[in-house]
Amino acid sequence: MEVIHNLEFQWNQTAVCIGKFDGIHRGHRLLLQEAKKEGLTTVMFTFSAGEGSVLYAPHEKRKLAEKLGIDRLVEVPLDDRFCEQTPEEFARDILQKRCGAAKVVVGSDFRFGKNRAGDAAMLTELGHQYGFQVVVLDKLEWDGGIVSSTRIRTLIGMGEMQEANRLLGTPYFISGTVKQGNQLGRKMQTPTANLSPDTHKVLPPYGVYAVLAEGDGKIYEGVSNLGVKPTIPGENPVGLEVWLFDYVGNLYGKELTVWLLDYLRPEKKFDSLTALQTQIQNDTTRAREILAQPDIESLRQSFLH
């Protein structure tokens, strides 16, 4: 997948999906499926993250977009020059001249141009004028509500991972480079890999989760703790500490993707390392039970393709 961070390109015959695509959830995926129907080069046109909270950091969004078969990902910074464009300038200069769009796919709530003056109906009219088809899709409804990034953020914030994951389509994940920790897990025969989540990333409640993780090209079962390790003295940064049950090797400096499948318990401080070790054993037993469910194997296989 090609990733572009500016508007210095000129293409032909593309299918362009436009939106924030935070989470690339089931609703977003309908747009992508529509864009792929004619076999055109698929372009996801989105915007660089600002200071607000996001479901996925930029590198995580790119990883997921590539997994979903996007050909080109355009991440445009929302600077003054871009935001001052009129709707007509955006349609003519960006979609027609730069993207070479033959087809543009947007949601029914799509707004564009200076002061959000343009809507889906206006884009359809401009499409007729500049020679590209516009397809407008209604919001996806699921379990009694609209599928939206806001709804998913709320569920994740409450630790409702199973419901959030159903709306996302691919389970919520944290991805990054494995860093060296305090090696306490190794001393307890449960060596862990440590990740630092992006500072803008929406995180679920601190606690313990049953997880699947991808490292060295393989999928492993495991259990993880998200939080600040209160049993360890001092102020500890927020991190994800993962124990992969059957992994043998060294992950330091390598990329690890961890899918949080189910919330087991809140993070807590233990009076002793012995008490902590006993709890890890209990967490492991419960995580293995969850990960032994039949649907987990099909999920594991989907991560490998």
Side-chain angles (χ1 to χ4, degrees):
M1 182 182 70
E2 185 179 3
V3 181
I4 299 96
H5 300 288
N6 55 52
L7 296 173
E8 301 304 316
F9 57 81
Q10 192 165 12
W11 301 322
N12 290 301
Q13 291 297 299
T14 66
V16 184
C17 299
I18 314 173
K20 292 181 180 179
F21 294 109
D22 186 22
I24 317 184
H25 55 59
R26 288 186 182 274
H28 296 144
R29 295 180 192 203
L30 292 180
L31 304 183
L32 302 178
Q33 291 168 10
E34 177 64 37
K36 291 179 179 180
K37 285 184 177 179
E38 284 78 20
L40 300 168
T41 299
T42 306
V43 178
M44 179 187 287
F45 195 103
T46 186
F47 312 99
S48 299
E51 294 302 315
S53 59
V54 295
L55 288 168
Y56 290 129
H59 73 279
E60 294 171 330
K61 183 188 288 189
R62 294 172 201 138
K63 181 182 182 72
L64 186 52
E66 184 169 24
K67 186 80 172 178
L68 293 172
I70 301 303
D71 298 308
R72 294 169 179 160
L73 173 61
V74 180
E75 297 177 336
V76 178
L78 289 176
D79 56 22
D80 291 342
R81 180 181 178 185
F82 184 85
C83 293
E84 286 295 312
Q85 292 180 108
T86 66
E88 183 171 359
E89 287 172 336
F90 178 78
R92 181 192 65 217
D93 298 341
I94 305 300
L95 296 179
Q96 182 198 45
K97 294 182 179 179
R98 293 293 182 185
C99 292
K103 182 177 184 178
V104 177
V105 186
V106 297
S108 57
D109 62 343
F110 177 66
R111 307 295 300 220
F112 68 110
K114 184 177 181 180
N115 297 325
R116 296 169 54 85
D119 59 12
M122 181 183 292
L123 182 64
T124 301
E125 294 177 5
L126 290 169
H128 291 310
Q129 182 177 346
Y130 291 111
F132 53 81
Q133 176 194 11
V134 175
V135 178
V136 182
L137 299 183
D138 290 331
K139 290 285 190 178
L140 175 66
E141 292 195 21
W142 190 285
D143 287 343
I146 297 295
V147 177
S148 69
S149 298
T150 299
R151 180 181 173 189
I152 294 168
R153 289 191 198 100
T154 299
L155 289 168
I156 290 174
M158 295 188 300
E160 300 288 344
M161 302 310 297
Q162 292 187 359
E163 179 62 18
N165 290 340
R166 280 192 286 268
L167 299 183
L168 281 168
T170 298
Y172 170 94
F173 65 89
I174 296 173
S175 182
T177 302
V178 176
K179 301 179 179 180
Q180 186 165 347
N182 53 34
Q183 306 213 341
L184 181 61
R186 189 174 300 277
K187 297 175 184 176
M188 296 188 294
Q189 306 303 309
T190 54
T192 57
N194 293 271
L195 300 179
S196 297
D198 186 272
T199 55
H200 298 301
K201 186 177 179 69
V202 173
L203 296 176
Y206 292 170
V208 177
Y209 295 81
V211 303
L212 289 177
E214 180 182 24
D216 285 342
K218 296 181 179 180
I219 304 297
Y220 297 91
E221 297 179 352
V223 64
S224 69
N225 183 83
L226 174 67
V228 293
K229 304 178 185 177
T231 304
I232 308 302
E235 290 190 16
N236 300 303
V238 177
L240 183 70
E241 189 175 21
V242 189
W243 178 36
L244 306 181
F245 298 148
D246 302 314
Y247 180 80
V248 178
N250 185 350
L251 285 170
Y252 290 144
K254 297 180 181 179
E255 183 176 347
L256 188 69
T257 297
V258 182
W259 294 277
L260 278 61
L261 303 185
D262 208 351
Y263 179 55
L264 304 185
R265 63 168 177 84
E267 185 178 48
K268 62 177 292 186
K269 183 176 181 178
F270 293 89
D271 295 332
S272 68
L273 294 182
T274 299
L276 173 58
Q277 192 168 19
T278 299
Q279 183 62 60
I280 291 174
Q281 292 172 352
N282 294 336
D283 295 336
T284 298
T285 298
R286 190 172 170 202
R288 286 188 184 275
E289 291 172 353
I290 292 170
L291 296 169
Q293 296 174 6
D295 58 329
I296 298 298
E297 180 57 32
S298 60
L299 187 62
R300 178 205 298 266
Q301 292 301 319
S302 72
F303 293 155
L304 292 171
H305 297 91

